[in-house]
Every structure is written in structure tokens, then in C-alpha cells.
Amino acid sequence: MFFIDTIEVSGLGNRSYLAGGERTAVAVDPPRDLDQVIAAAARRGVRISHVVETHVHNDYVTGGLELARVTGAAYLVPAGARVAFDRVPVHDGDRTEVDPEAGLALRALSTPGHTPHHTSYVLEENGTAAAVFTGGSLLIGTVGRPDLVEPRLTEGLARAQHASAHRLAAELPEETAVLPTHGFGSFCSSSQAEGTGTTIGKEKASNEALTRDVDTFVADLLAGLDDVPAYYTHMGPANAAGPAPVDLTPPAIADAEEIAARLGAGEWVVDLRNRVAFAHGHVAGSFNFEAEGQLATYLAWLIPWGKPVTLLAESPEQLAAAQRELVRVGIDRPAAAATGGPADWMREGEAPASFPRGTFADLAGRSEDVVVLDVRRASERAGGFVEGSVHIPIHTLHRRLDEVPEGEVWVHCAGGARAAIAASLLDAAGRDVVAVDDSFDAAEKAGLTVRTA
């Protein structure tokens, strides 16, 4: 008998896995905060004997090297990956015993496409394939994006993705469970698909890599690629060099004077509270990145890399959770932090800043008098946009604030979360802003003219 435990890294849209028998187990693509992987092994009463990477990751800092060091596990990394640390190089066809008594082994399958060296691992029980850890190769309904390594390689890697998907489909039984690392909201996925579980048979029937010819598939894949988060530039090199251990101890506590001084020095002060509370009252100049949701993705995407960040949280628990999210993307230590609320974070005599929130129905009554700012990605806007709106994607707004026309700005996204970030950036810059906290589906119903071209 064997088990497979899924370790959700929902903030980044990823999954890691722990698989094994009664005595030993393998960790696949572990997150940097490895304590949860160790806890999963402890619950199962197994020793982590192997840690494997499907590829050098471009979207998060891996915990694999440190997990192998702490547990004494063998660290398996594709042989083609250029890394600066000792590891067990994995070649196509290599077979690794995971739990001999349970008949469990991993068989490596070269599946280039997401990266040139990408490798999938087939979990075999007594020689029969039970599951395949596909990393950024075959995902649920799609594949990992091929454009994260080098622009000149992108088309060739897209073709390799098609071939790798077909190899997996041809060599594995239809009932084999497909367990990808990416594809649950990760920007490493070439497109977003519905569903939480799949098999080789299901993918053969529905995955475009397996239902379309290579030329059609590649053309559509390349045409549909979205913007790449800026921080991805730093993830691959960090993983290739060998990430340092994480430090999740609480950061230094900042009082109101220090918060003001850090704002005055041009540092980022990030309020983690929900967008309703932030709009109602916040420290002037602070930015709002909600702790719930994709905190790490958007903060790491927007912040100038290496700039000190101070975190403002409602509670020590919210602060600790945010730290955990941020170390996964290389924001290792906040410069400082504070908990409580605006009254605790402002100097005596200071008043909190605030801005109004609205809906698309509210906007419909004001649309001729205001600037409508759309901060969605270009691919989202292509599906429909408010006539006359200005388009500046959220991940570019902090560099393009001077492009926002004069006047009261009503800022929207698809559902409200990114609009809240944008509103905080505009508010900090001294603009009159209204955050549209509403689903874009409501825009046309509210009477606004929505166009597609």
C-alpha cells in the first residue's frame, strides 16, 4: 500500500506532494517553508528518504535543498539543470527505490517543455504506474508555459511540451493519476483550467496538448501567453544557486515614529488587512495587499526588488502567515512590522487616510464625470472593457501613475482585489480614487457600455 498527500501552496497556485509507504517517503517539489512537509511525514510516521525536483522553478524558491539537508534525504534534480550544489543527477529512465518493502519506486521520464531539463516522475507500485508527478509538464487541461527560460527557446519548448504530453499519454495507463505542481492559479500555467484532479485518460480526452496537432497547439499556446510576474526573474537563479534556510521568527516591531520614518525614506509599508477595512482608514502612504488571496504573487510582482518592506497586520497570526507566504518568493525578512490597527500605527495628532468604495452601478451614475481605470491584464480586457476606460495593468501601475488622467479615478479589476491594491497606490500618490469592489460581470448589467474592440 502507498499514500500520496497533497500539500497545498494556494497563494502561489501550486501543489507539493509527499508519497510513500509505511516506512519511507519522497517529497516532490517542496515549498521553501519545509516545516509543513516534515509535519506531514510525522503524521504518517515515515522518514523522508528522497526529495525530488521536477525542474529548477521559476515561480517560487524551493525548499528542496534544505529539506534534503535537514532530513538526510537524497536530493534528486534533473541532470540537465545547471545548479551550484551537490545533488543526485537524474537521467531519463532512472529508477529510484522509495520504499522497497512497499514495492514503491520512482521512474524518471524526461518531459522537456516548461524548461529544457524538465523531468516527470512515475510512482510505481510493484512495477505498475499508479501516479505521475508532472511538475510543469502535463497539467489539468493545459501545460506549463514554455516562455520562462529564454525568449529564443520559447517556440521550441512549446513544441517540446506537445511531445512530452504525448509521451506521457502513450507510456502510462489511462487510470494513472496526474499530479502536477502548477496549474491551480499559478502563472507558470499557460492557461487556467477547472478541476482539482485528473488522470492520463481524462487528459487524453480534453487536454489541448493531446487533442490538437502540434502546429495548431503551439500557435494557440504562444498566442495565449500572459504577462510574466517580474519576480520570476529572481527565482530561477536563487534555486540554481541553492536557497538559504528560512527565518520565520517575528520581525522587529515598529512604532508609529518608525513607520512614519520608513514611509518618509521611500520604503514600502504594506497593510495586510482586508480591503474594506483599509479603505475605511489607513496610514497615509501605505499600500494595501490583503493577506488573504495572492499576497506573495502581487507584492513580489510590484515591489522594486530588494526594497525594504514593513508589514502592518491585524494580529500576530496574520503577520506570521504573511511572512510564510513571502519567503516562498524570496522576500525573506520584513524590515519591520506592527500589529493592531491604524490608531496604533499613526503618530499622535495624525488622522487616518481613507477613500470610498463603489459598485459598477454606482459608476454608471458617474461615468461621464470620472476617469475609469481598468487594471486587469490585457488578456482579460480583450474579453470586454468599459467604453472610454483607461487601461494600465496592475503590475505596471506603480511605474505609470503619471499616465492616469486628471480627475477622480474609479479603478476596477475583475472582482475587486486588484482594484484595492491599485486604489491604495493612487491614494498614496495623492489622487482622488474610488475602488470598484464588484464583479466585472455586473458592468454591462449596470448600464455601462462594454466593448470588445
Side-chain angles (χ1 to χ4, degrees), residues 66-317:
E66 181 65 5
L67 181 60
R69 186 191 68 79
V70 168
T71 62
Y75 190 29
L76 279 60
V77 178
R82 298 172 62 88
V83 296
F85 47 82
D86 291 335
R87 86 290 192 200
V88 178
V90 178
H91 300 84
D92 184 45
D94 283 357
R95 198 167 186 275
T96 303
E97 299 288 341
V98 174
D99 191 325
E101 291 189 15
L104 290 181
L106 284 181
R107 178 164 56 91
L109 287 180
S110 178
T111 49
H114 188 47
T115 65
H117 60 266
H118 191 283
T119 299
S120 298
Y121 298 88
V122 182
L123 181 67
E124 296 179 337
E125 183 181 32
N126 298 318
T128 300
V132 57
F133 301 104
T134 56
S137 182
L138 187 67
L139 311 184
I140 300 177
T142 185
V143 295
R145 60 192 301 165
D147 61 331
L148 301 180
V149 178
E150 157 62 49
R152 293 171 296 180
L153 300 179
T154 297
E155 182 174 349
L157 289 175
R159 292 183 178 277
Q161 279 290 50
H162 187 270
S164 292
H166 280 263
R167 181 186 186 189
L168 291 166
E171 295 190 16
L172 298 175
E174 292 199 351
E175 63 271 19
T176 306
V178 175
L179 303 173
T181 299
H182 305 311
F184 310 95
S186 167
F187 282 90
C188 268
S189 177
S190 61
S191 64
Q192 300 306 319
E194 299 295 327
T196 58
T198 190
T199 63
I200 289 292
K202 290 179 180 177
E203 293 308 304
K204 287 171 72 172
S206 61
N207 195 303
E208 293 181 352
L210 297 171
T211 60
R212 296 187 176 189
D213 67 87
V214 62
D215 290 333
T216 302
F217 168 76
V218 169
D220 289 346
L221 176 63
L222 298 183
L225 291 174
D226 219 327
D227 296 332
V228 178
Y231 70 92
Y232 277 23
T233 302
H234 307 280
M235 301 296 96
N239 288 324
V246 299
D247 178 3
L248 291 175
T249 58
I253 299 301
D255 60 16
E257 290 291 343
E258 182 177 349
I259 291 170
R262 290 188 177 278
L263 282 168
E267 297 181 10
W268 278 37
V269 174
V270 171
D271 190 326
L272 300 169
R273 294 176 301 145
N274 71 72
R275 56 187 183 261
V276 177
F278 183 87
H280 181 70
H282 55 269
V283 176
S286 62
F287 302 140
N288 182 213
F289 290 79
E290 293 178 298
E292 299 296 328
Q294 293 184 289
L295 164 67
T297 294
Y298 283 103
L299 179 54
W301 198 341
L302 270 66
I303 192 170
W305 199 251
K307 182 175 282 290
V309 60
T310 295
L311 300 178
L312 306 180
E314 287 182 312
S315 66
E317 293 76 19

Side-chain angles (χ1 to χ4, degrees), residues 340-365:
D344 305 301
W345 305 331
M346 294 182 301
R347 294 172 295 189
E348 187 174 354
E350 290 182 328
S354 64
F355 54 78
R357 298 163 54 249
T359 65
F360 280 107
D362 297 326
L363 174 59

